[in-house]
Amino acid sequence: MRVAFPYMGDIRLVLEPILHELGAEVIIPPEPNRETVALGAQLAPETICLPFKVTLGNIIRALELGADTLVYVSGSWSCRFGYYGRVQADIVRDLGYKFQMLELRRDRMDEIARQIVKLSEGRFSRAVVRTVRALRLGWFKADTLERAYALARAKMPNALDPKECQNLLKNVLQEVDEVKSVGELRRLRRSLKERFASVKRNGKGSCLRIKLVGESYCVIEPFVNFDVINRLGEMGVWVDPFITGPRWLGFHGFRLRKKEVIQAQKVAQNYWRYCVGGEDANSVGHLILAAQAGYDGVLHIHPFACMPSTVVQPVLFKASRDYDIPLLSISIDEHTGETGFITRVEAFVSLLERRRRRPKDLNGGDKCIWSG
């Protein structure tokens, strides 16, 4: 079985070893680029969102590399994302590609189990051992990634040279990719604090803090958000994304961290009672939680033509005014230019810096809500 899955940030660093331990050969397509987006946009339905186009181009590249099985996290919830895998499968089958599709969803557990046993040559006991070993390795990889990301995001705004911090993170990700055992991951995890502490500080005081919310793919995938976390880190801003690749995989694949989601949605109830997808309630909830935690601002990134992300915008604006926390909302598609995107982010950061310097009793008159 030659398995492939759509690119989404660094989830491959967790999914690939899990599938490999289960006995599958994993095909990793090239990272998303302009060519991938153009290919997906050419074949995608009109007005579909950017994540659909990027992942469609991605799986076609994987099939060209010889993949015979496509793995999707899918479901039948309100957001169209749950149907992406099935729609994309129909599109590429019409192009003549032959493959089988494996949907990771709760009501398909029997099929998933059969495929795992099949990978173990029909031996159930061997499949159980492999599954336990694979999930354990995947969990340790995800946890190590989470710790490394958190340390890098906290260190970068205060680093004398942010590039040094970014390079250190790249080295750690490479090591996570290469290690094959839980023991090695434990040793790597123990070394992280000391390694990031060795990055020279710039001597500046407290930095701005921004909460990053929005549609999951746009928050997680650095190609579509123009690597905004690192770009903000270079501007001296500490960014806290409401979700990361490993956390997205943990929640949608295994229902981990469900309490976090429930908490955010509970906080958002006075503004947004029913979830319609696109991380709508989560975005509202995390905006309120960010305001209560003293963050300086909120950045909301979502795909152009995403219905849930669009209809939730007025609610985000109202919550931003009510809780007095600046909000910048940006929609993106394949035509969005990096320069225009970063210019808007830079202007938002300048406004937050000015707002922080003002006396507290004047901050109430400096409310800002931007949309683009």
Side-chain angles (χ1 to χ4, degrees):
M1 183 184 291
R2 308 189 76 195
V3 181
F5 48 85
Y7 231 99
M8 185 174 179
D10 287 323
I11 66 167
R12 75 164 188 85
L13 296 177
V14 180
L15 259 185
E16 183 183 5
I18 290 177
L19 293 168
H20 182 74
E21 285 291 328
L22 291 174
E25 181 183 351
V26 183
I27 304 296
I28 302 295
E31 291 185 18
N33 52 40
R34 286 289 172 193
E35 185 185 343
T36 309
V37 177
L39 177 61
Q42 183 183 3
L43 299 168
E46 189 179 5
T47 72
I48 200 78
C49 66
L50 180 61
F52 184 98
K53 297 167 186 171
V54 179
T55 52
L56 176 58
N58 222 219
I59 63 165
I60 291 175
R61 290 290 178 244
L63 291 169
E64 289 172 348
L65 291 172
D68 59 23
T69 303
L70 296 180
V71 174
Y72 278 97
V73 175
S74 66
S76 300
W77 55 83
S78 52
C79 180
R80 291 187 298 188
F81 177 83
Y83 305 92
Y84 278 9
R86 281 162 276 177
V87 177
Q88 290 180 347
D90 286 343
I91 292 173
V92 292
R93 282 191 179 113
D94 286 345
L95 294 173
Y97 291 101
K98 306 291 184 187
F99 60 93
Q100 66 168 335
M101 184 176 171
L102 184 59
E103 296 181 69
L104 301 182
R105 45 189 288 186
R106 279 173 288 178
D107 57 348
R108 297 290 172 87
M109 292 305 294
D110 290 349
E111 183 184 348
I112 295 169
R114 280 197 299 273
Q115 291 297 330
I116 292 173
V117 173
K118 186 178 175 183
L119 284 170
S120 296
E121 299 165 353
R123 295 164 59 184
F124 181 75
S125 57
R126 186 180 182 188
V128 171
V129 171
R130 277 182 163 187
T131 302
V132 172
R133 193 167 58 199
L135 293 179
R136 187 164 179 258
L137 181 63
W139 187 88
F140 270 91
K141 291 220 173 194
D143 185 61
T144 307
L145 289 172
E146 275 296 289
R147 295 181 189 217
Y149 287 139
L151 287 167
R153 291 194 302 266
K155 189 73 180 184
M156 207 183 319
N158 298 307
L160 183 63
D161 180 6
K163 293 291 183 188
E164 182 184 354
C165 196
Q166 292 172 16
N167 291 334
L168 175 55
L169 179 61
K170 284 180 185 175
N171 291 338
V172 171
L173 298 185
Q174 182 69 29
E175 292 170 40
V176 171
D177 192 20
E178 291 174 353
V179 297
K180 305 295 182 189
S181 71
V182 170
E184 290 177 284
L185 284 167
R186 281 184 167 142
R187 283 192 289 276
L188 173 59
R189 206 169 58 176
R190 284 196 295 269
S191 72
L192 290 177
K193 283 188 178 179
E194 185 178 347
R195 293 171 69 178
F196 279 97
S198 68
V199 176
K200 293 180 181 176
R201 298 175 63 90
N202 57 19
K204 295 181 181 177
S206 64
C207 57
L208 292 174
R209 293 195 303 160
I210 289 180
K211 191 76 180 182
L212 179 59
V213 301
E215 191 274 335
S216 297
Y217 193 88
C218 292
V219 170
I220 293 170
E221 176 51 53
F223 172 72
V224 301
N225 66 29
F226 303 104
D227 201 14
V228 71
I229 293 177
N230 281 334
R231 299 296 287 271
L232 281 167
E234 292 170 3
M235 297 176 204
V237 178
W238 181 72
V239 187
D240 181 21
F242 87 101
I243 197 166
T244 62
R247 277 155 57 192
W248 180 89
L249 190 61
F251 177 71
H252 288 285
F254 307 102
R255 313 308 289 176
L256 301 177
R257 297 178 182 270
K258 194 174 180 180
K259 287 183 180 178
E260 287 182 17
V261 177
I262 293 173
Q263 183 196 10
Q265 294 179 352
K266 188 176 180 181
V267 169
Q269 271 191 339
N270 289 337
Y271 292 89
W272 197 257
R273 192 170 294 273
Y274 304 105
C275 298
V276 294
E279 306 294 354
D280 48 2
N282 279 334
S283 294
V284 177
H286 281 286
L287 181 144
I288 295 170
L289 291 172
Q292 293 171 341
Y295 282 68
D296 294 280
V298 174
L299 176 58
H300 176 240
I301 303 177
H302 61 99
F304 178 74
C306 172
M307 185 276 287
S309 298
T310 302
V311 298
V312 82
Q313 271 190 312
V315 175
L316 283 169
F317 297 155
K318 178 168 174 45
S320 167
R321 284 191 295 270
D322 292 348
Y323 284 86
D324 191 24
I325 184 168
L327 165 69
L328 172 63
S329 182
I330 303 178
S331 66
I332 55 178
D333 65 9
E334 65 271 29
H335 304 296
T336 302
E338 180 176 0
T339 303
F341 179 91
I342 295 299
T343 299
R344 278 180 279 177
V345 172
E346 288 174 338
F348 185 60
V349 171
S350 296
L351 189 146
L352 296 182
E353 289 173 340
R354 189 183 69 181
R355 191 174 192 264
R356 183 182 266 200
R357 288 196 298 268
R358 294 183 64 177
K360 286 187 177 178
D361 57 343
L362 294 179
N363 274 343
D366 194 22
K367 295 182 179 180
C368 51
I369 302 170
W370 293 356
S371 177

